Amino acid sequence: MKKAVVLFLTVLLVFIFCCELKASSLQKSIVPAEALWVVHVDLIKFKASRLGDIILNEIDALGLKDKIGHFQKQFKMDLLNDIEGVTAIGLGKDENDIVVCLKGNFNQDFLLGLLGMEDSHQEIPYGKYTLHNWDNDEFGAFVDDLALIAQNKNALMRVLDVISGKKADISSSSLMAYLKKVPSNAFFSAMVKDISAIAKGETKVFVFKKMKSALLTLAEVKENLDLRLDFMVDTIEDANNIENAIKGLIALANMHLSEEDSALRIPKDIVISTKKNKVQIELVYPTDDLVNILLGKVKGNSFF
């Protein structure tokens, strides 16, 4: 995996598992209208949640304290406080078509100094911006409080064109309808135009093969995790079949957990509904119980 993606995953995973400034909602002005998918993590809202608070107190147990310290020492960046949000934009089906945007407080002079020490480093003027290229296929740019990283120069330039107003942003995209549905308290959101087209030939899961556009959000309401998934399929029949299949899988899972004498259960009040060719799923689950499951403190989570 290329270094830019490794850096993105490092930052994202650290905050997913360890993550006061103002909230960092998804910025429409950085997402091209032709984007196939967008994933956004609001780290400020995550840190303010019960889930974030619990995970922050588990940094040592998760073995992340040394990694965070090493990152801070190497890049002069406090991961727990300097990054406000992470947005990944998919402009194509290939990994090279991903642009990662980090919003926060960056020591640009220091980071550019590190790049300057790389023999492969080059500066590429692009309008009012400067693109930085290193290791042949790594590209980056700073725009105010944003740091953009990509493996494809053209992909990075497409995002810069949107930021500068030369090209249309997500406001003119079909994804805008989903963006409007993201709850104001959501710390994670992911939206995609056509999952079946992207996943074609890559998965055997029939649900993914049937999915078209989709929206997934995670928020917290009164110390309960609120997961919502909305997606469209080809036909009304597909929607009904998927609803029945999911309900059946939940019943089978609970039967298995009961035989294991596990305290864990998939909630019976999980809401699954259909409207024509649309499927909606909502799960509200106590945050503390979820963390106990993730940390292996509840018997029976081996089922998953």
Side-chain angles (χ1 to χ4, degrees):
M1 188 178 290
K2 302 295 181 63
K3 290 182 180 178
V5 175
V6 171
L7 175 59
F8 163 63
L9 290 176
T10 299
V11 173
L12 183 57
L13 287 174
V14 165
F15 277 101
I16 287 295
F17 288 104
C18 73
C19 275
E20 285 255 357
L21 302 166
K22 61 181 181 180
S24 179
S25 299
L26 173 61
Q27 295 176 267
K28 296 185 297 182
S29 60
I30 69 174
V31 182
E34 68 268 26
L36 298 183
W37 56 264
V38 183
V39 175
H40 179 70
V41 183
D42 188 321
L43 302 170
I44 304 306
K45 291 176 184 175
F46 180 77
K47 284 168 46 178
S49 69
R50 172 61 180 164
L51 179 60
D53 182 59
I54 296 173
I55 297 300
L56 279 171
N57 290 321
E58 295 286 348
I59 290 178
D60 283 338
L62 293 168
L64 293 172
K65 185 174 183 179
D66 290 342
K67 292 182 176 64
I68 294 173
H70 177 73
F71 189 95
Q72 182 172 345
K73 183 177 180 180
Q74 185 175 2
F75 296 104
K76 304 296 183 186
M77 187 186 304
D78 183 352
L79 283 175
L80 297 179
N81 295 292
D82 287 343
I83 307 296
E84 300 177 25
V86 180
T87 304
I89 304 167
L91 297 174
K93 298 179 182 179
D94 193 79
E95 181 183 275
N96 291 338
D97 296 317
I98 299 173
V99 180
V100 178
C101 304
L102 305 173
K103 178 179 171 60
N105 179 31
F106 303 101
N107 188 333
Q108 293 188 22
D109 291 338
F110 178 80
L111 294 174
L112 291 176
L114 288 180
L115 280 178
M117 295 172 64
E118 295 278 345
D119 293 337
S120 60
H121 176 242
Q122 297 181 45
E123 292 187 356
I124 306 171
Y126 186 67
K128 62 181 180 180
Y129 307 114
T130 299
L131 277 60
H132 297 273
N133 173 225
W134 67 100
D135 289 347
N136 297 319
D137 55 1
E138 305 292 340
F139 297 89
F142 286 108
V143 181
D144 299 325
D145 60 351
L146 294 175
L148 284 65
I149 304 172
Q151 296 178 20
N152 182 306
K153 181 175 69 173
N154 290 331
L156 180 58
M157 291 190 298
R158 287 163 70 183
V159 172
L160 291 174
D161 286 344
V162 173
I163 294 174
S164 63
K166 293 180 181 179
K167 292 187 177 181
D169 64 25
I170 195 175
S171 297
S172 59
S173 166
S174 59
L175 289 178
M176 190 61 193
Y178 278 142
L179 184 58
K180 290 179 178 179
K181 294 177 66 176
V182 175
S184 60
N185 61 335
F187 56 78
F188 175 89
S189 59
M191 56 200 77
V192 61
K193 284 184 178 178
D194 191 343
I195 291 180
S196 61
I198 295 175
K200 188 176 182 180
E202 301 294 332
T203 180
K204 295 182 180 179
V205 181
F206 85 97
V207 174
F208 289 150
K209 290 181 178 180
K210 294 290 185 179
M211 280 185 178
K212 297 300 181 183
S213 60
L215 169 67
L216 171 66
T217 64
L218 293 175
E220 200 172 74
V221 180
K222 296 181 179 179
E223 298 190 357
N224 290 315
L225 185 71
D226 186 353
L227 180 153
R228 301 183 188 183
L229 173 62
D230 292 8
F231 60 92
M232 295 182 64
V233 292
D234 284 326
T235 66
I236 295 175
E237 182 181 7
D238 286 338
N240 292 331
N241 288 339
I242 288 174
E243 178 183 11
N244 292 332
I246 293 174
K247 289 180 177 178
L249 288 172
I250 291 173
L252 287 173
N254 279 331
M255 286 175 60
H256 176 89
L257 293 168
S258 177
E259 289 178 357
E260 279 196 345
D261 193 28
S262 169
L264 176 63
R265 290 290 185 279
I266 298 177
K268 293 181 179 179
D269 57 352
I270 181 172
V271 178
I272 306 172
S273 61
T274 61
K275 185 177 182 181
K276 294 184 178 180
N277 65 329
K278 297 179 181 179
V279 181
Q280 295 181 318
I281 302 172
E282 182 172 7
L283 169 64
V284 178
Y285 203 88
T287 300
D288 288 56
D289 292 348
L290 174 66
V291 173
N292 287 334
I293 293 171
L294 295 176
L295 295 178
K297 297 180 179 180
V298 178
K299 180 183 176 182
N301 63 323
S302 59
F303 177 83
F304 300 97

